[in-house]
Amino acid sequence: KANDFRKTYQSIGDSCELLLSTDKSILTIALEVGYNTEKTLTRNFLRFRSMTPGKFRRSVELQENGI
């Protein structure tokens, strides 16, 4: 269980970096960090970040633009 938690935590961290540093689709990012579907990434992202990957990306973009 602890190993699964670490693996999921790491994949969410990796996905955050990709969401902020690239324009890749959420599906592409999900596949790159080891998920088979966008839905699985989104479910785990919600659990760890309390928002969807898309909302995370938009919220950071808004902050960077001073909105």
Side-chain angles (χ1 to χ4, degrees):
K1 277 285 197 195
N3 203 23
D4 289 343
F5 177 85
R6 271 192 294 274
K7 184 178 174 184
T8 301
Y9 187 81
Q10 180 65 46
S11 67
I12 297 303
D14 292 345
S15 64
C16 286
E17 289 182 33
L18 290 168
L19 286 163
L20 299 179
S21 64
T22 71
D23 290 332
K24 293 179 180 179
S25 72
I26 294 169
L27 174 59
T28 299
I29 291 171
L31 297 173
E32 285 187 20
V33 300
Y35 293 104
N36 293 324
T37 67
E38 181 179 337
K39 184 177 180 176
T40 306
L41 170 63
T42 298
R43 183 175 57 243
N44 284 320
F45 205 95
L46 276 166
R47 189 164 44 129
F48 281 87
R49 303 289 305 199
S50 300
M51 66 178 73
T52 65
K55 186 170 183 176
F56 173 79
R57 179 182 264 168
R58 285 188 302 275
S59 70
V60 172
E61 288 172 352
L62 290 174
Q63 288 175 9
E64 289 176 351
N65 292 326
I67 299 174

